[in-house]
Amino acid sequence: MLRLNHLAIVVEDIQQALVFWQDALGLPLGKVERNAEEEVEIAFLPLESGEIELLAPTNSTSGVAKYLAKRGAGLHHVCLEVPDLAAAMQRLRDHGIELINDTPKVNAEGVRYCFIHPKSAFGVLVELYELPRSS
Amino acid sequence: MLRLNHLAIVVEDIQQALVFWQDALGLPLGKVERNAEEEVEIAFLPLESGEIELLAPTNSTSGVAKYLAKRGAGLHHVCLEVPDLAAAMQRLRDHGIELINDTPKVNAEGVRYCFIHPKSAFGVLVELYELPRSS
């Protein structure tokens, strides 16, 4: 079985959204950080397994900013952990599934990841993570 | 910390969607069942903790059918488990959060649940579950 790594939610303003998620609903706040590459501010709200990530664009031109302008705030993507990203990507391609990036990307924490195109996933933006072996 | 119970995804057709989620991505299929009250067919895809639920309307008049017609297939709602639903609902009301049902509902499995209105949750439909004590 796969593990949920995170469920990402787009918001206009992190602090406003935390009034609901943290103060009213009672989720703990892990940290808030800026991600320069994705041009977003991210608040991490850990769940018992996995976490909720609130994403707010830091400019008006990023992918997340355009999504927010077009679709409004709400659920954005789901990220699942796989043991072998290259194998998972090959299996998806073998089934005719379109990937947004054809080769794995690697983030600052050494996580290898890719996105599956929503049109191949019935409207859902799905991200896959392969965590570094040392973690 | 709260536990993710399920992430619900609206699809037009369960069998078509399973070609992606089960065959291509490799998630195990728990069961598929009809829920007469919600007028949907549901496929349960267990994760390491919690599960993904694919919902397909069984008629054109249900809430899920209207959602599908208006917004298209995609992420629908997130359900978190709370230890005490009445206390959680009171805390939400104390923070001015609008609930869709003012008193807990109870499903066939004895789960007490409520929905938080998306306009109070920055565009996200959030469901809360209180599991029966015996489970």
Side-chain angles (χ1 to χ4, degrees):
Chain A
M1 282 192 278
L2 304 187
R3 181 177 175 272
L4 175 86
N5 184 276
H6 62 267
L7 175 63
I9 294 171
V10 172
V11 300
E12 282 192 46
D13 183 285
I14 294 281
Q15 294 308 319
Q16 281 178 17
L18 285 175
V19 173
F20 169 69
W21 289 99
Q22 184 183 18
D23 300 347
L25 193 54
L27 266 67
L29 175 61
K31 60 179 174 177
V32 180
E33 69 179 25
R34 273 183 176 247
N35 181 312
E37 194 188 344
E38 300 291 335
E39 302 168 278
V40 289
E41 189 178 19
I42 310 178
F44 296 88
L45 301 162
L47 301 172
E48 200 178 284
S49 173
E51 60 193 359
I52 286 177
E53 292 185 10
L54 305 178
L55 311 179
T58 52
N59 60 42
S60 60
T61 54
S62 66
V64 169
K66 289 174 190 165
Y67 181 94
L68 184 62
K70 187 178 177 186
R71 306 262 321 199
L75 296 168
H76 185 261
H77 71 265
V78 55
C79 177
L80 302 174
E81 295 172 7
V82 295
D84 182 338
L85 184 63
M89 291 171 76
Q90 188 57 51
R91 177 173 169 154
L92 289 161
R93 276 190 293 259
D94 289 346
H95 282 82
I97 303 299
E98 187 177 332
L99 304 175
I100 292 180
N101 48 301
D102 269 336
T103 55
K105 291 185 169 188
V106 185
N107 74 13
E109 285 78 38
V111 175
R112 292 158 60 85
Y113 67 99
C114 79
F115 282 96
I116 300 168
H117 200 293
K119 74 181 178 188
S120 282
F122 300 90
V124 180
L125 179 59
V126 179
E127 185 176 23
L128 299 179
Y129 262 22
E130 179 186 327
L131 300 183
R133 298 302 160 103
S134 56
S135 74
Chain B
M1 282 192 277
L2 304 187
R3 180 177 177 272
L4 175 87
N5 184 276
H6 62 267
L7 175 64
I9 295 170
V10 172
V11 300
E12 282 191 45
D13 183 285
I14 295 281
Q15 294 308 318
Q16 281 178 16
L18 286 175
V19 173
F20 168 70
W21 288 99
Q22 184 183 20
D23 300 348
L25 193 53
L27 266 66
L29 175 61
K31 59 180 174 178
V32 180
E33 69 179 24
R34 273 184 176 247
N35 181 312
E37 194 187 345
E38 300 291 335
E39 302 168 277
V40 290
E41 189 178 18
I42 310 178
F44 296 89
L45 301 161
L47 301 171
E48 200 178 284
S49 173
E51 59 194 0
I52 286 176
E53 292 185 9
L54 305 178
L55 311 180
T58 52
N59 61 40
S60 60
T61 55
S62 67
V64 169
K66 289 174 189 166
Y67 181 95
L68 183 63
K70 187 177 175 186
R71 307 262 322 202
L75 296 169
H76 185 261
H77 71 264
V78 56
C79 177
L80 302 174
E81 295 171 8
V82 295
D84 181 338
L85 183 63
M89 291 172 76
Q90 188 58 51
R91 178 173 170 154
L92 288 161
R93 276 191 292 259
D94 290 345
H95 282 82
I97 303 300
E98 187 177 331
L99 304 175
I100 291 180
N101 47 302
D102 270 335
T103 54
K105 292 186 171 188
V106 184
N107 74 13
E109 285 78 37
V111 175
R112 292 158 60 83
Y113 67 99
C114 79
F115 282 96
I116 300 169
H117 200 292
K119 74 180 178 189
S120 282
F122 300 90
V124 180
L125 179 59
V126 179
E127 184 176 22
L128 300 179
Y129 263 21
E130 180 187 327
L131 300 183
R133 298 301 160 102
S134 57
S135 74

